[in-house]
DNA sequence: CGATATTAGGACCGTATGGTCCTATGCGCA
DNA sequence: TGCGCATAGGACCATACGGTCCTAATATCG
Protein backbone atom coordinates (compact mmCIF):
# COMPACT_ATOMS: atom_id res chain seq x y z
CA UNK A 1 0.00 0.00 0.00
CA UNK A 2 1.50 3.29 -1.06
CA UNK A 3 1.98 6.35 1.05
CA UNK A 4 -0.95 8.20 -0.49
CA UNK A 5 -3.24 5.16 -0.24
CA UNK A 6 -2.66 5.06 3.49
CA UNK A 7 -3.19 8.77 3.80
CA UNK A 8 -6.46 8.44 1.91
CA UNK A 9 -7.54 5.62 4.18
CA UNK A 10 -6.81 7.70 7.25
CA UNK A 11 -8.52 10.75 5.80
CA UNK A 12 -11.63 8.76 4.96
CA UNK A 13 -11.87 7.29 8.43
CA UNK A 14 -11.29 10.69 9.99
CA UNK A 15 -13.88 12.34 7.75
CA UNK A 16 -16.53 9.86 8.86
CA UNK A 17 -15.70 10.23 12.53
CA UNK A 18 -15.48 14.01 12.42
CA UNK A 19 -18.76 14.37 10.59
CA UNK A 20 -20.38 12.10 13.17
CA UNK A 21 -18.91 13.45 16.40
CA UNK A 22 -17.16 16.69 15.57
CA UNK A 23 -13.47 17.46 15.48
CA UNK A 24 -12.88 17.97 19.20
CA UNK A 25 -14.66 14.79 20.17
CA UNK A 26 -12.76 12.70 17.64
CA UNK A 27 -9.52 11.52 19.17
CA UNK A 28 -6.43 10.46 17.30
CA UNK A 29 -6.87 7.01 18.81
CA UNK A 30 -10.36 6.83 17.33
CA UNK A 31 -8.96 7.66 13.91
CA UNK A 32 -6.27 5.01 14.35
CA UNK A 33 -8.90 2.41 15.19
CA UNK A 34 -11.09 3.54 12.30
CA UNK A 35 -8.27 3.36 9.80
CA UNK A 36 -6.92 0.14 11.36
CA UNK A 37 -3.46 1.44 11.96
CA UNK A 38 -1.06 -0.32 14.26
CA UNK A 39 -0.39 2.54 16.64
CA UNK A 40 0.14 6.19 17.22
CA UNK A 41 3.53 6.37 15.60
CA UNK A 42 2.04 4.88 12.50
CA UNK A 43 -0.45 7.75 12.36
CA UNK A 44 2.15 10.41 13.07
CA UNK A 45 4.20 8.94 10.28
CA UNK A 46 1.61 10.35 7.87
CA UNK A 47 0.33 13.45 9.62
CA UNK A 48 2.30 15.82 11.73
CA UNK A 49 -0.60 16.70 14.00
CA UNK A 50 -4.30 16.26 14.55
CA UNK A 51 -4.81 19.83 13.44
CA UNK A 52 -3.22 19.19 10.07
CA UNK A 53 -5.37 16.10 9.70
CA UNK A 54 -8.40 18.29 10.27
CA UNK A 55 -7.34 20.77 7.63
CA UNK A 56 -6.85 18.04 5.07
CA UNK A 57 -10.18 16.45 5.90
CA UNK A 58 -11.85 19.81 5.34
CA UNK A 59 -10.12 20.18 1.99
CA UNK A 60 -11.16 16.72 0.90
CA UNK A 61 -14.74 17.30 1.97
CA UNK A 62 -14.81 20.43 -0.10
CA UNK A 63 -13.32 18.69 -3.12
CA UNK A 64 -15.90 15.96 -2.83
CA UNK A 65 -18.63 18.55 -2.54
CA UNK A 66 -17.18 20.43 -5.49
CA UNK A 67 -17.23 17.30 -7.63
CA UNK A 68 -20.61 15.99 -6.64
CA UNK A 69 -22.44 19.24 -5.95
CA UNK A 70 -20.88 22.40 -7.23
CA UNK A 71 -20.00 20.79 -10.57
CA UNK A 72 -23.68 20.92 -11.46
CA UNK A 73 -23.54 24.71 -11.32
CA UNK A 74 -21.16 24.69 -14.28
CA UNK A 75 -22.90 22.23 -16.58
CA UNK A 76 -22.73 24.10 -19.89
CA UNK A 77 -25.72 22.52 -21.64
CA UNK A 78 -28.36 23.34 -19.03
CA UNK A 79 -30.15 26.58 -18.40
CA UNK A 80 -28.41 28.35 -15.49
CA UNK A 81 -31.48 28.70 -13.30
CA UNK A 82 -32.37 25.10 -13.94
CA UNK A 83 -28.84 24.21 -12.86
CA UNK A 84 -29.35 26.08 -9.62
CA UNK A 85 -32.43 23.99 -8.90
CA UNK A 86 -30.57 20.81 -9.73
CA UNK A 87 -27.80 21.87 -7.40
CA UNK A 88 -30.27 22.33 -4.56
CA UNK A 89 -31.62 18.87 -5.32
CA UNK A 90 -28.09 17.54 -5.15
CA UNK A 91 -27.56 19.00 -1.69
CA UNK A 92 -30.72 17.25 -0.54
CA UNK A 93 -29.54 14.02 -2.12
CA UNK A 94 -26.11 14.24 -0.51
CA UNK A 95 -27.72 14.78 2.85
CA UNK A 96 -30.13 11.89 2.46
CA UNK A 97 -27.22 9.56 1.71
CA UNK A 98 -26.30 9.68 5.37
CA UNK A 99 -29.92 9.25 6.40
CA UNK A 100 -30.11 12.94 7.21
CA UNK A 101 -27.95 12.42 10.25
CA UNK A 102 -24.61 13.80 9.28
CA UNK A 103 -24.70 17.45 8.50
CA UNK A 104 -22.91 19.54 6.03
CA UNK A 105 -19.27 18.98 6.87
CA UNK A 106 -18.62 22.70 6.62
CA UNK A 107 -21.51 23.82 8.75
CA UNK A 108 -20.53 21.34 11.44
CA UNK A 109 -16.96 22.47 11.63
CA UNK A 110 -17.98 26.09 11.31
CA UNK A 111 -20.27 25.96 14.32
CA UNK A 112 -17.79 23.98 16.36
CA UNK A 113 -14.60 25.83 15.61
CA UNK A 114 -15.32 29.25 14.08
CA UNK A 115 -15.01 31.02 17.41
CA UNK A 116 -12.48 28.77 19.02
CA UNK A 117 -9.89 28.08 16.37
CA UNK A 118 -8.76 30.76 13.99
CA UNK A 119 -6.96 28.36 11.67
CA UNK A 120 -10.15 26.48 10.97
CA UNK A 121 -12.22 29.64 10.79
CA UNK A 122 -10.10 31.03 7.98
CA UNK A 123 -10.24 27.78 6.04
CA UNK A 124 -13.98 27.42 6.44
CA UNK A 125 -14.43 31.00 5.36
CA UNK A 126 -12.46 30.18 2.22
CA UNK A 127 -14.71 27.19 1.56
CA UNK A 128 -17.84 29.29 1.82
CA UNK A 129 -16.29 31.92 -0.39
CA UNK A 130 -15.46 29.42 -3.12
CA UNK A 131 -18.98 28.05 -2.87
CA UNK A 132 -20.49 31.53 -3.03
CA UNK A 133 -18.35 32.51 -5.98
CA UNK A 134 -19.65 29.56 -8.00
CA UNK A 135 -23.20 30.69 -7.36
CA UNK A 136 -22.31 34.28 -8.22
CA UNK A 137 -20.88 33.19 -11.57
CA UNK A 138 -24.05 31.31 -12.30
CA UNK A 139 -26.21 34.27 -11.37
CA UNK A 140 -24.09 36.46 -13.63
CA UNK A 141 -24.66 34.02 -16.42
CA UNK A 142 -28.39 34.05 -15.75
CA UNK A 143 -28.42 37.84 -15.66
CA UNK A 144 -30.64 38.24 -18.76
CA UNK A 145 -33.35 36.19 -17.07
CA UNK A 146 -33.17 38.03 -13.75
CA UNK A 147 -34.49 41.31 -12.50
CA UNK A 148 -32.03 44.17 -12.85
CA UNK A 149 -31.84 44.78 -9.13
CA UNK A 150 -30.78 41.25 -8.18
CA UNK A 151 -27.75 41.44 -5.89
CA UNK A 152 -25.71 38.35 -6.69
CA UNK A 153 -23.52 38.61 -3.60
CA UNK A 154 -26.49 38.80 -1.29
CA UNK A 155 -28.51 36.15 -3.07
CA UNK A 156 -25.61 33.71 -3.11
CA UNK A 157 -25.15 34.17 0.63
CA UNK A 158 -28.82 33.68 1.22
CA UNK A 159 -28.84 30.41 -0.68
CA UNK A 160 -25.90 29.06 1.30
CA UNK A 161 -27.31 30.23 4.62
CA UNK A 162 -30.68 28.68 3.92
CA UNK A 163 -29.12 25.36 2.94
CA UNK A 164 -26.77 25.28 5.92
CA UNK A 165 -29.56 26.19 8.30
CA UNK A 166 -31.78 23.57 6.72
CA UNK A 167 -29.17 20.87 7.11
CA UNK A 168 -28.73 21.84 10.75
CA UNK A 169 -32.45 21.67 11.49
CA UNK A 170 -32.74 18.40 9.63
CA UNK A 171 -30.09 16.87 11.86
CA UNK A 172 -31.74 18.14 15.00
CA UNK A 173 -35.18 16.90 14.01
CA UNK A 174 -33.84 13.76 12.38
CA UNK A 175 -36.31 14.36 9.60
CA UNK A 176 -35.20 14.72 6.03
CA UNK A 177 -38.48 16.30 4.99
CA UNK A 178 -37.41 19.48 6.78
CA UNK A 179 -34.60 19.89 4.30
CA UNK A 180 -36.86 18.99 1.39
CA UNK A 181 -39.40 21.63 2.38
CA UNK A 182 -36.81 24.34 2.81
CA UNK A 183 -35.19 23.38 -0.49
CA UNK A 184 -38.54 23.78 -2.22
CA UNK A 185 -39.10 27.17 -0.58
CA UNK A 186 -35.62 28.24 -1.54
CA UNK A 187 -36.36 27.44 -5.17
CA UNK A 188 -39.47 29.58 -4.96
CA UNK A 189 -37.42 32.41 -3.49
CA UNK A 190 -34.99 32.19 -6.38
CA UNK A 191 -37.84 32.09 -8.87
CA UNK A 192 -39.01 35.36 -7.34
CA UNK A 193 -35.95 37.02 -8.86
CA UNK A 194 -36.76 35.87 -12.35
CA UNK A 195 -37.77 38.59 -14.76
CA UNK A 196 -41.42 38.52 -15.77
CA UNK A 197 -41.88 36.50 -18.89
CA UNK A 198 -38.53 34.75 -18.66
CA UNK A 199 -38.30 31.06 -17.89
CA UNK A 200 -42.01 30.68 -17.42
CA UNK A 201 -41.96 26.94 -17.74
CA UNK A 202 -39.43 26.78 -14.96
CA UNK A 203 -41.65 28.83 -12.75
CA UNK A 204 -44.58 26.58 -13.43
CA UNK A 205 -42.61 23.48 -12.51
CA UNK A 206 -42.25 24.73 -8.99
CA UNK A 207 -45.89 25.33 -8.27
CA UNK B 1 -25.54 34.99 48.76
CA UNK B 2 -28.43 32.63 48.38
CA UNK B 3 -28.44 29.27 46.72
CA UNK B 4 -30.15 30.49 43.60
CA UNK B 5 -27.92 33.55 43.32
CA UNK B 6 -24.91 31.29 43.18
CA UNK B 7 -26.56 29.03 40.66
CA UNK B 8 -27.35 32.06 38.51
CA UNK B 9 -23.78 33.23 38.75
CA UNK B 10 -22.50 29.84 37.65
CA UNK B 11 -25.04 29.59 34.86
CA UNK B 12 -24.11 33.02 33.54
CA UNK B 13 -20.43 32.22 33.52
CA UNK B 14 -21.10 28.88 31.86
CA UNK B 15 -23.37 30.43 29.24
CA UNK B 16 -20.66 32.87 28.21
CA UNK B 17 -18.00 30.20 28.01
CA UNK B 18 -20.16 27.71 26.18
CA UNK B 19 -21.30 30.25 23.62
CA UNK B 20 -17.67 31.20 23.04
CA UNK B 21 -16.00 27.80 22.93
CA UNK B 22 -18.73 25.21 22.77
CA UNK B 23 -19.85 22.74 25.39
CA UNK B 24 -17.19 20.08 24.94
CA UNK B 25 -14.37 22.59 25.00
CA UNK B 26 -15.63 24.25 28.15
CA UNK B 27 -14.31 22.42 31.20
CA UNK B 28 -15.82 22.43 34.63
CA UNK B 29 -12.63 24.06 35.86
CA UNK B 30 -13.14 26.88 33.37
CA UNK B 31 -16.64 27.44 34.70
CA UNK B 32 -15.31 27.44 38.25
CA UNK B 33 -12.75 30.07 37.34
CA UNK B 34 -15.34 32.11 35.47
CA UNK B 35 -17.80 32.03 38.34
CA UNK B 36 -15.02 32.53 40.90
CA UNK B 37 -15.83 29.48 42.92
CA UNK B 38 -13.41 28.05 45.43
CA UNK B 39 -13.12 24.58 44.02
CA UNK B 40 -14.73 21.62 42.38
CA UNK B 41 -16.74 20.54 45.37
CA UNK B 42 -18.23 23.98 45.49
CA UNK B 43 -19.45 23.57 41.94
CA UNK B 44 -20.77 20.08 42.52
CA UNK B 45 -22.64 21.41 45.49
CA UNK B 46 -24.91 23.22 43.02
CA UNK B 47 -24.93 20.98 39.97
CA UNK B 48 -24.83 17.24 39.93
CA UNK B 49 -22.93 17.04 36.66
CA UNK B 50 -21.57 19.03 33.77
CA UNK B 51 -24.32 17.60 31.62
CA UNK B 52 -27.02 18.97 33.88
CA UNK B 53 -25.29 22.34 33.85
CA UNK B 54 -25.45 22.26 30.07
CA UNK B 55 -29.17 21.50 30.09
CA UNK B 56 -29.88 24.39 32.43
CA UNK B 57 -27.76 26.76 30.38
CA UNK B 58 -29.74 25.80 27.30
CA UNK B 59 -33.00 26.44 29.14
CA UNK B 60 -31.85 29.83 30.33
CA UNK B 61 -30.65 30.81 26.89
CA UNK B 62 -34.04 29.93 25.51
CA UNK B 63 -35.84 31.89 28.20
CA UNK B 64 -33.69 34.88 27.49
CA UNK B 65 -34.37 34.53 23.80
CA UNK B 66 -38.08 34.13 24.51
CA UNK B 67 -38.13 37.34 26.52
CA UNK B 68 -36.02 39.47 24.26
CA UNK B 69 -36.89 38.00 20.89
CA UNK B 70 -39.94 35.79 20.71
CA UNK B 71 -41.97 38.15 22.88
CA UNK B 72 -42.14 40.52 19.95
CA UNK B 73 -44.09 37.92 18.01
CA UNK B 74 -46.92 38.22 20.50
CA UNK B 75 -47.21 42.01 20.81
CA UNK B 76 -50.96 42.46 20.54
CA UNK B 77 -51.05 46.04 19.23
CA UNK B 78 -48.89 45.53 16.16
CA UNK B 79 -49.81 44.04 12.82
CA UNK B 80 -48.66 40.40 12.80
CA UNK B 81 -46.53 40.65 9.67
CA UNK B 82 -44.97 43.83 11.00
CA UNK B 83 -44.18 41.92 14.18
CA UNK B 84 -42.44 39.23 12.18
CA UNK B 85 -40.20 41.87 10.62
CA UNK B 86 -39.49 43.37 14.01
CA UNK B 87 -38.60 39.94 15.30
CA UNK B 88 -36.10 39.46 12.50
CA UNK B 89 -34.61 42.84 13.38
CA UNK B 90 -34.36 41.70 16.98
CA UNK B 91 -32.38 38.62 16.02
CA UNK B 92 -29.96 40.84 14.13
CA UNK B 93 -29.72 43.15 17.13
CA UNK B 94 -29.08 40.28 19.55
CA UNK B 95 -26.33 39.00 17.34
CA UNK B 96 -24.69 42.38 16.97
CA UNK B 97 -24.53 42.73 20.75
CA UNK B 98 -21.76 40.17 20.78
CA UNK B 99 -20.05 41.85 17.84
CA UNK B 100 -21.35 39.13 15.56
CA UNK B 101 -18.94 36.67 17.08
CA UNK B 102 -21.06 34.49 19.26
CA UNK B 103 -23.66 32.60 17.37
CA UNK B 104 -27.14 31.58 18.18
CA UNK B 105 -26.76 29.56 21.36
CA UNK B 106 -29.07 26.93 19.95
CA UNK B 107 -27.42 26.63 16.57
CA UNK B 108 -24.04 26.26 18.22
CA UNK B 109 -25.13 23.49 20.52
CA UNK B 110 -27.17 21.88 17.78
CA UNK B 111 -24.23 21.59 15.44
CA UNK B 112 -21.92 20.43 18.17
CA UNK B 113 -24.07 17.90 19.93
CA UNK B 114 -27.04 16.90 17.77
CA UNK B 115 -25.33 13.79 16.47
CA UNK B 116 -23.22 13.01 19.47
CA UNK B 117 -25.48 13.47 22.46
CA UNK B 118 -29.09 12.41 22.38
CA UNK B 119 -30.01 14.24 25.59
CA UNK B 120 -29.01 17.56 24.09
CA UNK B 121 -30.49 16.74 20.71
CA UNK B 122 -33.91 16.19 22.21
CA UNK B 123 -33.75 19.42 24.21
CA UNK B 124 -32.58 21.45 21.24
CA UNK B 125 -35.32 19.95 19.13
CA UNK B 126 -37.80 21.11 21.76
CA UNK B 127 -36.34 24.62 21.64
CA UNK B 128 -36.72 24.80 17.88
CA UNK B 129 -40.22 23.45 18.14
CA UNK B 130 -41.27 26.09 20.66
CA UNK B 131 -39.72 28.74 18.46
CA UNK B 132 -41.47 27.40 15.37
CA UNK B 133 -44.79 27.18 17.13
CA UNK B 134 -44.64 30.88 18.02
CA UNK B 135 -44.11 31.71 14.37
CA UNK B 136 -46.90 29.37 13.34
CA UNK B 137 -49.33 31.10 15.70
CA UNK B 138 -48.37 34.43 14.22
CA UNK B 139 -48.84 33.17 10.70
CA UNK B 140 -52.23 31.81 11.69
CA UNK B 141 -53.14 35.20 13.02
CA UNK B 142 -51.95 36.83 9.79
CA UNK B 143 -53.90 34.33 7.72
CA UNK B 144 -56.31 36.93 6.24
CA UNK B 145 -53.36 38.81 4.79
CA UNK B 146 -51.64 35.73 3.37
CA UNK B 147 -52.17 33.63 0.30
CA UNK B 148 -54.41 30.66 0.86
CA UNK B 149 -51.70 28.17 0.01
CA UNK B 150 -49.20 29.37 2.62
CA UNK B 151 -47.91 26.39 4.58
CA UNK B 152 -47.28 27.73 8.08
CA UNK B 153 -45.23 24.71 9.19
CA UNK B 154 -42.94 24.96 6.22
CA UNK B 155 -42.61 28.72 6.29
CA UNK B 156 -41.82 28.78 10.00
CA UNK B 157 -39.07 26.22 9.46
CA UNK B 158 -37.70 28.20 6.57
CA UNK B 159 -37.49 31.35 8.65
CA UNK B 160 -35.64 29.58 11.44
CA UNK B 161 -33.29 27.80 9.07
CA UNK B 162 -32.45 31.01 7.23
CA UNK B 163 -31.74 32.84 10.48
CA UNK B 164 -29.65 30.03 11.92
CA UNK B 165 -27.70 29.66 8.71
CA UNK B 166 -27.21 33.42 8.56
CA UNK B 167 -25.86 33.55 12.10
CA UNK B 168 -23.48 30.73 11.29
CA UNK B 169 -22.14 32.45 8.18
CA UNK B 170 -21.85 35.72 10.03
CA UNK B 171 -19.66 34.09 12.64
CA UNK B 172 -17.46 32.48 10.04
CA UNK B 173 -17.01 35.65 8.03
CA UNK B 174 -16.89 37.86 11.11
CA UNK B 175 -19.09 40.30 9.25
CA UNK B 176 -22.43 41.37 10.61
CA UNK B 177 -23.56 42.68 7.25
CA UNK B 178 -23.99 39.07 6.11
CA UNK B 179 -26.73 38.62 8.65
CA UNK B 180 -28.27 41.97 7.78
CA UNK B 181 -28.43 41.10 4.10
CA UNK B 182 -29.97 37.72 4.72
CA UNK B 183 -32.46 39.23 7.14
CA UNK B 184 -33.54 41.71 4.47
CA UNK B 185 -33.92 38.93 1.91
CA UNK B 186 -35.88 36.87 4.39
CA UNK B 187 -38.31 39.74 4.84
CA UNK B 188 -38.77 39.89 1.09
CA UNK B 189 -39.41 36.17 1.03
CA UNK B 190 -42.10 36.55 3.67
CA UNK B 191 -43.61 39.49 1.81
CA UNK B 192 -43.90 37.16 -1.17
CA UNK B 193 -46.59 35.26 0.72
CA UNK B 194 -48.71 38.31 1.31
CA UNK B 195 -51.99 38.38 -0.55
CA UNK B 196 -52.18 40.95 -3.35
CA UNK B 197 -53.58 44.19 -2.06
CA UNK B 198 -53.06 43.38 1.61
CA UNK B 199 -50.50 45.23 3.67
CA UNK B 200 -49.37 47.31 0.76
CA UNK B 201 -47.63 49.87 2.90
CA UNK B 202 -45.66 47.10 4.53
CA UNK B 203 -44.57 45.79 1.19
CA UNK B 204 -43.44 49.20 0.09
CA UNK B 205 -41.31 49.64 3.19
CA UNK B 206 -39.17 46.74 2.18
CA UNK B 207 -38.34 47.89 -1.30
C1' DC C 1 -25.19 29.36 73.12
C1' DG C 2 -25.46 25.33 69.78
C1' DA C 3 -27.00 23.18 65.47
C1' DT C 4 -27.11 23.31 60.60
C1' DA C 5 -26.06 24.62 56.09
C1' DT C 6 -23.06 27.18 53.02
C1' DT C 7 -18.36 28.30 51.65
C1' DA C 8 -13.61 27.29 51.05
C1' DG C 9 -9.79 24.61 49.67
C1' DG C 10 -7.18 20.83 48.60
C1' DA C 11 -5.97 15.97 47.80
C1' DC C 12 -7.01 12.51 45.03
C1' DC C 13 -8.69 9.05 41.27
C1' DG C 14 -9.38 6.81 36.93
C1' DT C 15 -9.43 7.81 32.41
C1' DA C 16 -8.40 10.04 28.12
C1' DT C 17 -5.94 13.24 25.50
C1' DG C 18 -2.18 14.73 21.87
C1' DG C 19 2.25 13.59 21.11
C1' DT C 20 7.20 11.37 21.39
C1' DC C 21 10.44 7.72 21.32
C1' DC C 22 12.27 3.30 20.64
C1' DT C 23 12.66 -1.26 18.73
C1' DA C 24 11.73 -4.84 15.53
C1' DT C 25 9.92 -6.82 11.28
C1' DG C 26 8.89 -7.01 6.64
C1' DC C 27 9.61 -5.59 1.70
C1' DG C 28 11.09 -3.67 -2.60
C1' DC C 29 14.92 -1.89 -5.11
C1' DA C 30 19.69 -0.77 -6.53
C1' DT D 1 23.61 -8.41 -0.25
C1' DG D 2 22.36 -4.42 1.93
C1' DC D 3 20.07 0.05 2.16
C1' DG D 4 15.88 2.49 3.13
C1' DC D 5 11.25 2.89 3.85
C1' DA D 6 6.61 1.27 5.26
C1' DT D 7 4.58 -1.36 8.90
C1' DA D 8 3.94 -2.89 13.47
C1' DG D 9 3.54 -2.35 18.31
C1' DG D 10 4.39 -0.85 22.76
C1' DA D 11 6.18 2.13 26.48
C1' DC D 12 5.89 6.42 28.01
C1' DC D 13 4.83 11.51 29.15
C1' DA D 14 2.66 15.70 30.64
C1' DT D 15 -1.61 17.49 30.78
C1' DA D 16 -6.37 17.73 31.20
C1' DC D 17 -10.73 15.88 32.06
C1' DG D 18 -15.13 14.84 35.04
C1' DG D 19 -15.94 13.60 39.41
C1' DT D 20 -15.39 12.19 44.64
C1' DC D 21 -14.02 12.78 49.27
C1' DC D 22 -12.51 14.96 53.31
C1' DT D 23 -11.66 18.70 56.46
C1' DA D 24 -12.05 23.27 58.24
C1' DA D 25 -13.84 27.85 58.47
C1' DT D 26 -17.83 30.85 58.33
C1' DA D 27 -22.74 32.29 58.48
C1' DT D 28 -27.41 31.77 59.69
C1' DC D 29 -30.98 30.97 62.73
C1' DG D 30 -33.45 28.54 66.56
Amino acid sequence: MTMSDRRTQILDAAATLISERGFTSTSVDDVIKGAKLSGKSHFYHYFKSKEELGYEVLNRQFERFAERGLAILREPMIDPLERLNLFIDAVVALQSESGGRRGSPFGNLAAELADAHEGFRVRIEAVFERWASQIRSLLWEARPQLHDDVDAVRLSRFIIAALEGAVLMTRVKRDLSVLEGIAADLKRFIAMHVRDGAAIQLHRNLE
Side-chain angles (χ1 to χ4, degrees), chain A:
Chain A
M1 194 174 281
T2 74
M3 174 87 173
S4 80
D5 281 348
R6 268 282 186 230
R7 280 182 69 91
T8 303
Q9 190 183 3
I10 296 172
L11 286 165
D12 286 342
T16 302
L17 289 166
I18 290 172
S19 73
E20 277 170 6
R21 342 204 295 212
F23 180 75
T24 310
S25 299
T26 299
S27 72
V28 175
D29 285 323
D30 292 336
V31 174
I32 286 167
K33 260 177 226 153
K36 278 159 187 145
L37 300 182
S38 57
K40 279 229 175 107
S41 53
H42 198 181
F43 170 85
Y44 282 98
H45 183 66
Y46 293 98
F47 296 91
K48 62 184 264 255
S49 68
K50 189 195 176 190
E51 201 178 29
E52 205 210 307
L53 201 229
Y55 293 159
E56 290 202 35
V57 166
L58 178 61
N59 277 338
R60 270 173 57 88
Q61 299 274 39
F62 179 74
E63 273 157 34
R64 186 163 167 270
F65 180 66
E67 285 164 20
R68 302 190 50 191
L70 294 178
I72 296 167
L73 296 174
R74 287 193 308 266
E75 286 286 335
M77 300 301 290
I78 308 176
D79 175 83
L81 293 174
E82 179 71 26
R83 257 142 57 194
L84 196 46
N85 284 334
L86 290 172
F87 167 71
I88 292 169
D89 292 337
V91 170
V92 176
L94 282 170
Q95 184 67 13
S96 60
E97 273 180 27
S98 64
R101 292 175 77 107
R102 298 210 303 253
S104 147
F106 320 130
N108 272 359
L109 288 176
E112 186 186 350
L113 301 168
D115 291 326
H117 195 301
E118 182 66 10
F120 273 103
R121 204 216 101 228
V122 170
R123 283 165 176 82
I124 295 163
E125 185 180 0
V127 162
F128 280 137
E129 174 49 32
R130 287 169 73 183
W131 181 356
S133 88
Q134 298 270 345
I135 296 180
R136 286 200 308 267
S137 309
L138 181 138
L139 292 174
W140 177 254
E141 206 184 320
R143 193 170 19 111
Q145 303 169 63
L146 298 175
H147 282 132
D148 290 333
D149 62 356
V150 168
D151 182 335
V153 170
R154 237 172 70 170
L155 182 53
S156 64
R157 285 178 183 165
F158 188 88
I159 292 168
I160 295 173
L163 288 174
E164 285 293 338
V167 166
L168 184 68
M169 283 197 71
T170 299
R171 283 171 57 214
V172 169
K173 289 189 86 80
R174 293 225 194 287
D175 179 358
L176 204 76
S177 72
V178 174
L179 176 56
E180 288 162 355
I182 293 169
D185 275 349
L186 183 57
K187 288 180 189 175
R188 290 199 303 128
F189 181 69
I190 293 166
M192 199 178 117
H193 297 76
V194 174
R195 202 188 281 275
D196 299 335
I200 289 174
Q201 83 288 359
L202 179 73
H203 209 104
R204 202 171 301 143
N205 281 342
L206 299 168
E207 293 301 321

